[in-house]
Amino acid sequence: MAENIIIDKVVGESGASNSNAIGQSQSVESQVKKGRKKRSRAWDHFSRKTDSDGSEKGVCNYCKKEYFADTKEHGTTSMLTHIAKCPKMPYNIDINQSKLAFQPIIGGNKGDVVVVPWKFDQEECRKALCRMVIIDELPFRFVEKEGFKQFMKVAQPCFHIPSRTTVTRDCFDLFYEEKHKLMAVFKEAQQRVSLTTDTWTSIQRINYMVITAHWIDKNWTLHKRIINFCPISSHRGEDLGKSISKCLHEWGLHRIFTVTVDNASSNSVAITELSKQLTKWGTNLMGGSHLHIRCMAHIVNLIVQDGTKEANVCIERVRQAVRYIRQSPARWKKFQECCENENLTKKSLCLDVPTRWNSTYMMLNRVIEYEGAIVEYADRDIGLALHLKFVDIVDKNSTGTLLSSDWEGVKRITKFLEMFFNLTLKISGSRYVTSNLHFLEICQVGVYLNQLISNEDHVLAKMAENMKEKFDKYWGDTEKMNKMVFIPCVLDPRHKFSTLGFALKKMFGEKGAAVEISVRTYMESLFNEYTKHISNDKNGQCSSTEVDTSDSSSVRGLGNFFEELQKHTSQRGGASSKSELVKYLDEEIEVGKSDFDVLLWWKVNSPRFPLLSEMARDVLAIPVSSVASECAFSTGGRILDSFRSSLTPKLVQALVCLQDWLRSEPQPISIEEDLDFLEQLEEDFIMPRLHDSNARSPVWNHYEKLEEKEDGSWRRGQ
């Protein structure tokens, strides 16, 4: 292709020149003399030539092919036809379009363009504007702002900008349109769906409940969609259960596999109420015995919180040192000088939220990097020692001086917490399968804590002992554990019962063998349920044939014969559906690789295991944490902030759900703080205003304050 293409300037429907679409191509506007009829567009791509016999011809500028061009006898039709078919044409062109738009070729050479038909559409532009408002969380008043109006005058003067009322109405229309599309997907799939749910209180003091659906489609792709973000009357378990049932009935989702929730007692009651409703619908698989999945991330949080209490003194000393340094620009400047002396990169010291252990881990992890600078700062500023000694107290005792032993303790604690931090990140994902990792990660934590209990470091040993006590409360009694914790591991072809049996013995000792037998029994029963369901579907498809044969007494004997033959064959194992599960378990385990895709394996092998793959699709879709639902509250908090607190619950639901549905790529869930972003906020907003106690930082437009009670605990602020 040519390096630079010279084309005529193209004018769109609006009359505005589309110079941006031409890109890097050189634009040359056609010069038309006054009073002269506009020439054919063919001459934009042909050159005139006169033969020796006087015949006038047109020569293609690209392939040099010649056509007669006597306007009276031949015209330019043949040349226009050639333009659309020329093999050396650097861009596509539609000769039937009188007005064209140029679009750069992605990945092409410099100056390459594609000519495509374009027509202004007011309705499509309104829909695009509606999507922009939803995805980017813009206020409806945005469309009435002067800056946006000026921009549209330049970009597209023909676009009639709708009012905020019209945009609101468009959002509702789009919500119902997308909702019906998603309902059609659920209806067509006819498979079981796993849920996560949680509750939240808005700035209006309205209780909201979010429900997120998780499923794997027929192409073995994992999906997550928010299907509900609605107000609830209270946090009582009965009310939560009724609200969930009402939402599922509205969506036509009666086939629920599991529900993942945190450990609030009201959630247990809610799942019990939901199980009763599923039984009424006739879709409560295995009597709802595996319906309730406890959020693993929430349990890990409780376990670590109990452990960090033992190391409270050294953590508190470090916390107070960080707080002291950050309290004034003068101290911060002095600390930066200490960093320069230690040849350390200038980064911010992040202060944690004591009730969130993951933020404590990140604070300690950052502090370790700046140990030398903090020690030097303590030598240069006597005020830090006085601050630790006299001001702050821990358990009614003075915090004391920051000692070298504290640094050693902080390093050990940080290393100890690193495993739990990485574990939480791993199990909180919603774009990949997590259920197959569930029990193995639990086993790793249990073994790790057992080893640390006998550690020579008394602090770590005591931490591990406290954490093991909380660990056993949720994962120590095999009778109370949900069997669905183990089955996804078996359905991972890298593990099966070989890995599960080893992990059970490692975690429970002699009881592990008995647990393995009970898991096998439960898995066989679950597989039989799927077999019955699929058999009923097949019988339903051929029910008309059965009705026809039942009318004739002469063929009833044939029907009984084939039924007896099927029973005989099943007993022999020739066509037993159970053999499919046995066949899978008897095969050798797959070699585990770092990039192994369990969904891809089942997609390839589903023709070999048609019944078992249906069960695997539902089991592997189970989320082991409710983080996917909790993350919806950050969206709700931004949409329903103090400036838009008058939005109705119905509108809030439409905006939250639509944003989740319309994003072209699923947004990854991150529970890790963006330290670079926080540092930039501090540099731009917080640090320059520390000297002015009356100044309100703009950061509080985006963050909630955390207020400390008299007893030292923390609560959410207004």
Side-chain angles (χ1 to χ4, degrees):
M1 292 187 181
E3 190 68 20
N4 287 292
I5 302 170
I6 300 177
I7 57 178
D8 282 351
K9 191 172 186 179
V10 179
V11 180
E13 292 283 339
S14 63
S17 62
N18 195 359
S19 58
N20 290 334
I22 296 177
Q24 298 176 344
S25 304
Q26 182 181 358
S27 178
V28 180
E29 187 172 5
S30 302
Q31 301 296 326
V32 182
K33 294 183 179 180
K34 292 183 179 180
R36 181 180 175 182
K37 186 178 180 181
K38 186 177 180 179
R39 66 175 185 171
S40 170
R41 289 188 299 114
W43 296 113
D44 296 339
H45 309 281
F46 279 80
S47 301
R48 294 181 182 274
K49 175 185 176 182
T50 303
D51 284 348
S52 57
D53 58 357
S55 300
E56 187 175 359
K57 293 184 177 181
V59 182
C60 178
N61 295 336
Y62 312 109
C63 65
K64 304 305 179 183
K65 190 170 183 178
E66 298 180 357
Y67 289 89
F68 285 103
D70 187 348
T71 55
K72 293 183 179 180
E73 296 184 9
H74 301 91
T76 59
T77 302
S78 57
M79 290 190 291
L80 287 172
T81 304
H82 173 78
I83 292 174
K85 299 179 180 180
C86 179
K88 295 186 178 182
M89 189 73 173
Y91 47 82
N92 300 324
I93 186 171
D94 186 351
I95 61 173
N96 297 320
Q97 288 288 333
S98 59
K99 297 178 181 179
L100 306 169
F102 283 81
Q103 178 182 355
I105 298 177
I106 299 176
N109 296 327
K110 182 180 180 181
D112 292 350
V113 294
V114 174
V115 181
V116 295
W118 176 82
K119 181 179 180 180
F120 172 72
D121 191 323
Q122 172 73 19
E123 293 302 318
E124 287 299 320
C125 289
R126 274 179 54 179
K127 289 183 179 180
L129 176 61
C130 182
R131 289 185 173 91
M132 180 182 71
V133 169
I134 293 168
I135 295 175
D136 295 336
E137 300 173 5
L138 299 174
F140 296 123
R141 194 183 294 271
F142 169 79
V143 297
E144 298 177 351
K145 296 289 185 180
E146 186 64 26
F148 179 71
K149 292 180 179 179
Q150 293 293 338
F151 169 75
M152 291 309 303
K153 284 183 180 179
V154 177
Q156 180 48 270
C158 289
F159 179 58
H160 176 69
I161 301 176
S163 65
R164 57 179 175 176
T165 305
T166 303
V167 173
T168 305
R169 187 167 56 250
D170 289 346
C171 287
F172 277 118
D173 293 340
L174 184 60
F175 171 69
Y176 291 119
E177 178 184 343
E178 294 295 328
K179 182 177 180 179
H180 289 149
K181 290 180 182 178
L182 189 55
M183 290 177 69
V185 170
F186 288 137
K187 185 176 180 180
E188 181 182 359
Q190 287 295 320
Q191 66 184 74
R192 296 189 178 271
V193 175
S194 291
L195 306 176
T196 57
T197 182
D198 206 346
T199 56
W200 172 69
T201 302
S202 71
I203 194 174
Q204 304 162 304
R205 291 294 177 259
I206 297 177
N207 298 323
Y208 282 89
M209 179 182 66
V210 61
I211 301 177
T212 308
H214 305 256
W215 76 97
I216 297 172
D217 63 19
K218 293 182 179 179
N219 292 322
W220 292 91
T221 302
L222 182 63
H223 295 276
K224 173 194 75 72
R225 294 290 187 276
I226 297 175
I227 62 173
N228 193 39
F229 195 93
C230 67
I232 53 177
S233 57
S234 71
H235 290 277
R236 293 175 63 250
E238 294 82 359
D239 295 334
L240 293 176
K242 291 178 181 178
S243 298
I244 296 174
S245 300
K246 181 180 178 181
C247 170
L248 296 178
H249 185 67
E250 179 185 346
W251 279 84
L253 289 174
H254 297 161
R255 296 161 56 82
I256 303 302
F257 194 66
T258 62
V259 183
T260 305
V261 292
D262 61 30
N263 296 311
S265 58
S266 60
N267 285 330
S268 299
V269 178
I271 300 302
T272 302
E273 293 296 322
L274 177 61
S275 180
K276 295 177 182 178
Q277 184 61 53
L278 293 178
T279 302
K280 292 179 181 179
W281 290 338
T283 59
N284 202 10
L285 195 64
M286 301 292 288
S289 56
H290 61 258
L291 184 64
H292 187 182
I293 301 292
R294 296 183 183 274
C295 174
M296 185 177 181
H298 187 78
I299 296 176
V300 170
N301 179 58
L302 295 176
I303 292 173
V304 178
Q305 288 287 2
D306 276 16
T308 52
K309 292 178 182 178
E310 287 299 322
N312 200 24
V313 175
C314 61
I315 293 177
E316 187 64 25
R317 287 173 182 167
V318 170
R319 180 183 292 123
Q320 294 302 330
V322 172
R323 178 174 295 170
Y324 177 84
I325 294 173
R326 290 161 48 99
Q327 277 181 343
S328 76
R331 295 172 189 171
W332 184 254
K333 183 178 180 181
K334 187 183 295 185
F335 176 74
Q336 294 291 337
E337 294 173 358
C338 295
C339 291
E340 292 179 358
N341 295 337
E342 295 290 328
N343 295 322
L344 296 173
T345 306
K346 293 182 180 180
K347 288 185 178 180
S348 175
L349 294 176
C350 56
L351 189 62
D352 71 328
V353 179
T355 54
R356 294 176 55 196
W357 71 267
N358 56 327
S359 68
T360 301
Y361 165 78
M362 288 186 286
M363 177 190 71
L364 298 179
N365 197 40
R366 176 61 62 85
V367 163
I368 291 173
E369 299 179 29
Y370 293 91
E371 176 186 354
I374 294 176
V375 171
E376 182 180 342
Y377 181 89
D379 295 336
R380 294 173 58 178
D381 188 351
I382 191 64
L384 176 58
L386 296 175
H387 174 79
L388 294 175
K389 188 174 182 180
F390 297 108
V391 179
D392 297 280
I393 60 173
V394 177
D395 297 330
K396 298 183 179 179
N397 296 314
S398 60
T399 302
T401 307
L402 188 60
L403 305 174
S404 58
S405 59
D406 294 326
W407 288 106
E408 294 299 323
V410 165
K411 290 177 182 178
R412 290 195 299 270
I413 294 168
T414 305
K415 186 67 176 177
F416 175 67
L417 295 178
E418 183 179 6
M419 188 197 75
F420 296 95
F421 183 78
N422 293 332
L423 170 62
T424 305
L425 291 177
K426 186 185 298 184
I427 64 176
S428 299
S430 63
R431 302 172 66 183
Y432 53 86
V433 175
T434 57
S435 59
N436 60 329
L437 306 172
H438 194 180
F439 177 68
L440 297 182
E441 296 294 345
I442 292 174
C443 185
Q444 181 186 11
V445 173
V447 172
Y448 186 51
L449 293 178
N450 287 332
Q451 293 175 349
L452 285 176
I453 288 176
S454 58
N455 195 285
E456 296 179 356
D457 189 323
H458 297 293
V459 176
L460 285 182
K462 188 61 177 177
M463 288 177 62
E465 186 177 343
N466 292 342
M467 296 170 75
K468 188 65 167 60
E469 183 178 352
K470 182 70 72 173
F471 178 92
D472 290 338
K473 179 180 178 181
Y474 295 103
W475 295 320
D477 189 348
T478 57
E479 297 297 327
K480 295 181 180 179
M481 291 183 69
N482 190 335
K483 295 295 188 296
M484 200 52 66
V485 171
F486 310 105
I487 292 178
C489 178
V490 180
L491 290 174
D492 189 325
R494 297 170 296 175
H495 304 305
K496 302 184 181 180
F497 275 106
S498 174
T499 300
L500 181 65
F502 174 81
L504 287 171
K505 292 178 182 178
K506 194 76 174 176
M507 185 171 174
F508 300 110
E510 295 180 356
K511 295 181 180 179
V515 177
E516 181 180 351
I517 294 174
S518 65
V519 173
R520 283 182 179 271
T521 303
Y522 190 88
M523 189 171 184
E524 290 174 0
S525 301
L526 180 64
F527 180 69
N528 289 336
E529 289 289 332
Y530 275 84
T531 303
K532 292 177 183 177
H533 170 70
I534 295 177
S535 298
N536 291 337
D537 289 346
K538 290 181 178 179
N539 292 336
Q541 292 175 0
C542 60
S543 59
S544 59
T545 305
E546 294 176 357
V547 172
D548 293 336
T549 58
S550 62
D551 292 337
S552 174
S553 59
S554 61
V555 297
R556 288 178 184 174
L558 294 175
N560 294 333
F561 168 75
F562 284 116
E563 289 178 5
E564 293 176 3
L565 177 62
Q566 184 178 5
K567 291 180 180 179
H568 172 75
T569 308
S570 299
Q571 291 174 356
R572 292 287 181 175
S576 174
S577 58
K578 184 179 178 181
S579 64
E580 190 172 304
L581 175 60
V582 174
K583 179 181 177 182
Y584 166 77
L585 295 176
D586 288 343
E587 289 184 353
E588 294 292 330
I589 61 174
E590 295 289 330
V591 178
K593 298 180 181 179
S594 58
D595 58 345
F596 182 83
D597 189 342
V598 64
L599 295 184
L600 179 60
W601 188 93
W602 276 104
K603 181 178 181 179
V604 173
N605 291 274
S606 57
R608 297 172 52 223
F609 308 108
L611 300 180
L612 187 61
S613 63
E614 291 294 324
M615 187 175 83
R617 181 181 286 114
D618 294 338
V619 172
L620 295 176
I622 299 173
V624 300
S625 78
S626 59
V627 174
S629 287
E630 293 173 8
C631 287
F633 300 146
S634 60
T635 301
R638 292 191 303 269
I639 290 176
L640 198 60
D641 59 16
S642 58
F643 300 101
R644 293 188 288 177
S645 59
S646 61
L647 295 182
T648 64
K650 189 175 181 180
L651 182 55
V652 172
Q653 175 176 236
L655 295 176
V656 173
C657 292
L658 273 174
Q659 187 190 74
D660 182 68
W661 302 343
L662 293 179
R663 280 177 170 167
S664 56
E665 295 183 1
Q667 299 298 307
I669 295 176
S670 176
I671 63 169
E672 183 177 1
E673 302 287 352
D674 189 344
L675 293 181
D676 294 334
F677 174 68
L678 294 179
E679 289 166 9
Q680 189 64 37
L681 282 176
E682 290 179 354
E683 204 171 309
D684 295 342
F685 299 132
I686 302 174
M687 299 308 296
R689 291 167 169 79
L690 285 176
H691 66 280
D692 185 0
S693 60
N694 295 323
R696 182 182 185 274
S697 170
V699 73
W700 296 117
N701 294 334
H702 310 282
Y703 280 82
E704 271 189 342
K705 289 186 178 180
L706 291 166
E707 300 177 357
E708 190 172 7
K709 295 181 180 179
E710 294 180 358
D711 60 357
S713 61
W714 292 72
R715 66 178 177 84
R716 289 188 179 274
Q718 298 296 325

